C-alpha cells in the first residue's frame, strides 16, 4: 500500500501521472517489497474536475475520451461529459479507484493534533468529522487558532475575564443591556465555550440564542432561560447550535432556533435579566 508523503526522494507523480523516481521499501520479515512511498507534486490530480472535491469510489470515465468524474457529479451533469460531451456514468475507472484505495494521507489538521491517516478517497469524509478542525479565538483582537480543546484552554488562561463562568446543570444569573449583542459563557470544568447572542426586535422583545463554539458537525446541548418581571415568570428551553468561532461575531438577526423574550420582561434601565442553565449532553433537564 502506498502512503502520501511530502518527501522529495520517493516516488513522484506529476499532474500527468508520469513516474519520475521510486524507492521501494523492503519488508523486513521476508525481504519483499511491501509498499512504495510516493510524493504527489499535484495532489489535485485525484480531485473530481467538476466539483473539485476529492474523488470517492466509484469513479466513472466517459466512453469517448476517458475523462473522469465522481458518481454524484455524473448525475448532476445528466451523464454527459462536460469536456467532450461523451456519455459518462456507466464505465468505472478501475485504475483511479485502485490508486485511491492505495493512497493514504495525513489529516490536514495534523498541526492541530490529529494523527489520523485516511485513504485519499475518504479524505473529505474525515475532514467533515474531524474533532481537530481548527477554530479561531472568538475575540477579534486575538489571532489564536487551534482545535476546540486547545482553544478552550487558551481562552481559560488568556481571556478568563471575558466570559461568565458556570457549571453544567447549575442555574446562573446574568444581565446585559437590551441592546448588547452577545455574552461569552465558559464552563468551569471542561472549559467549553458558548456565546449568548441577543438581538432586539422593535416592539416585540429580544431574540436570544445560546450556541456552542465548536465544529459545526458536533451535537449541541440543552439549555433553559428563565426571566421574571412584575410578578410574571417565563421559562424557555432550546438546544444549542454548534458554530465555528469565525461565525460568532455576527449582528444579523437570528432566523431559526431563537427564544423570544417579550418586551414586558425588560427591567428598568433597559436591562435584560435572566438565568441560564446549560445541560451536558447526557443529562435531562427537569
Amino acid at each position: 500500500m502506498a502512503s502520501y508523503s511530502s518527501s522529495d526522494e520517493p516516488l513522484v507523480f506529476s499532474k500527468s501521472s508520469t513516474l519520475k523516481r521510486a524507492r521501494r521499501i523492503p519488508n523486513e520479515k521476508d525481504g519483499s517489497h511491501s509498499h512504495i512511498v510516493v510524493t504527489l507534486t499535484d495532489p489535485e490530480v485525484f480531485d473530481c474536475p467538476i466539483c473539485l472535491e476529492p474523488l470517492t469510489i466509484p469513479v466513472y470515465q466517459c466512453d469517448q475520451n476517458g475523462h473522469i468524474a465522481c458518481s454524484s457529479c455524473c448525475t448532476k451533469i445528466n451523464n454527459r461529459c462536460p469536456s467532450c460531451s461523451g456519455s459518462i456514468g456507466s464505465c468505472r475507472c478501475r485504475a483511479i479507484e485502485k490508486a485511491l484505495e492505495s493512497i493514504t494521507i495525513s489529516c490536514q489538521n495534523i498541526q492541530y493534533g490529529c494523527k489520523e491517516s485516511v485513504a485519499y478517497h475518504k479524505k473529505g469524509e474525515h475532514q467533515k468529522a474531524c474533532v481537530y478542525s481548527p477554530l479561531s479565538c472568538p475575540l477579534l483582537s486575538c489571532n489564536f487558532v487551534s482545535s476546540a480543546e486547545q482553544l478552550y484552554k487558551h481562552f481559560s488562561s488568556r481571556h478568563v475575564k471575558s466570559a461568565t463562568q458556570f457549571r453544567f446543570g447549575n442555574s446562573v444569573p446574568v444581565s446585559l443591556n437590551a441592546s448588547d449583542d452577545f455574552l461569552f459563557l465558559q464552563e468551569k470544568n471542561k472549559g467549553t465555550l458558548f456565546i449568548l447572542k441577543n438581538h432586539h426586535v422593535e416592539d416585540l422583545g429580544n431574540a436570544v440564542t445560546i450556541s456552542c463554539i465548536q465544529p459545526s458537525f458536533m451535537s449541541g446541548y440543552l439549555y433553559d432561560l428563565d426571566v421574571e418581571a412584575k410578578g410574571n415568570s417565563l421559562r424557555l428551553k432550546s438546544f444549542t447550535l454548534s458554530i465555528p468561532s469565525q461565525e460568532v461575531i455576527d449582528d444579523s438577526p437570528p432566523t431559526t432556533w431563537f427564544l423570544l423574550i417579550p418586551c414586558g420582561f425588560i427591567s428598568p434601565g433597559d436591562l435584560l435579566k435572566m438565568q441560564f442553565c446549560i445541560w451536558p449532553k447526557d443529562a435531562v433537564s427537569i
Side-chain angles (χ1 to χ4, degrees):
M1 176 176 289
S3 60
Y4 177 81
S5 167
S6 60
S7 167
D8 290 332
E9 290 220 2
L11 177 67
V12 179
F13 287 105
S14 67
K15 191 169 184 178
S16 60
S17 299
T18 302
L19 178 61
K20 293 184 177 179
R21 186 167 51 208
R23 177 167 60 91
R24 294 189 178 276
I25 308 301
N27 187 311
E28 294 182 0
K29 293 183 178 180
D30 57 16
S32 64
H33 300 306
S34 59
H35 67 280
I36 299 174
V37 177
V38 301
T39 295
L40 297 177
T41 58
D42 183 12
E44 293 181 1
V45 71
F46 289 117
D47 290 345
C48 175
I50 299 173
C51 66
L52 305 180
E53 294 293 327
L55 285 166
T56 56
I57 298 172
V59 178
Y60 291 96
Q61 61 184 3
C62 72
D63 299 339
Q64 187 169 326
N65 292 298
H67 298 121
I68 62 174
C70 64
S71 58
S72 59
C73 281
C74 288
T75 303
K76 295 175 184 177
I77 60 177
N78 296 318
N79 299 104
R80 187 63 58 187
C81 177
S83 300
C84 65
S85 298
S87 176
I88 188 171
S90 59
C91 182
R92 299 267 292 271
C93 185
R94 301 292 185 178
I96 289 293
E97 290 181 359
K98 284 186 176 293
L100 292 174
E101 290 174 339
S102 299
I103 295 174
T104 60
I105 185 170
S106 297
C107 175
Q108 67 177 14
N109 299 323
I110 187 172
Q111 62 179 311
Y112 304 118
C114 185
K115 298 179 181 179
E116 289 285 330
S117 292
V118 296
Y120 191 86
H121 68 283
K122 293 185 177 180
K123 170 185 171 185
E125 179 183 330
H126 170 78
Q127 288 176 184
K128 290 177 182 178
C130 181
V131 296
Y132 293 93
S133 297
L135 300 174
S136 58
C137 182
L139 294 180
L140 297 180
S141 58
C142 181
N143 59 6
F144 181 83
V145 177
S146 192
S147 64
E149 181 181 358
Q150 293 303 316
L151 174 62
Y152 299 160
K153 292 179 180 179
H154 160 81
F155 205 92
S156 295
S157 62
R158 297 294 183 90
H159 312 300
V160 64
K161 294 183 179 180
S162 298
T164 297
Q165 303 294 310
F166 73 97
R167 285 189 172 88
F168 284 135
N170 290 352
S171 185
V172 178
V174 292
S175 63
L176 62 160
N177 293 323
S179 58
D180 286 347
D181 293 329
F182 63 90
L183 181 68
F184 289 119
L185 314 170
Q186 187 166 36
E187 206 278 327
K188 290 183 178 180
N189 295 326
K190 296 185 177 181
T192 311
L193 270 174
F194 298 84
I195 182 170
L196 185 153
K197 284 188 176 182
N198 172 51
H199 187 85
H200 182 68
V201 182
E202 194 69 30
D203 299 327
L204 284 178
N206 287 67
V208 176
T209 61
I210 295 181
S211 301
C212 183
I213 301 175
Q214 62 182 3
S216 56
F217 66 86
M218 298 183 72
S219 59
Y221 297 75
L222 178 68
Y223 69 93
D224 300 342
L225 284 181
D226 291 279
V227 290
E228 292 185 5
K230 301 175 183 178
N232 297 316
S233 63
L234 177 67
R235 168 167 286 192
L236 302 169
K237 296 176 180 285
S238 188
F239 285 95
T240 64
L241 297 177
S242 299
I243 57 173
S245 45
Q246 296 95 321
E247 302 175 9
V248 165
I249 308 302
D250 179 4
D251 58 1
S252 60
T255 56
T256 58
W257 295 100
F258 63 87
L259 302 177
L260 183 64
I261 300 176
C263 293
F265 286 91
I266 304 299
S267 301
D270 204 28
L271 284 178
L272 182 59
K273 296 182 178 180
M274 67 187 84
Q275 290 195 345
F276 74 89
C277 181
I278 301 177
W279 302 84
K281 300 172 186 178
D282 56 351
V284 178
S285 178
I286 299 176

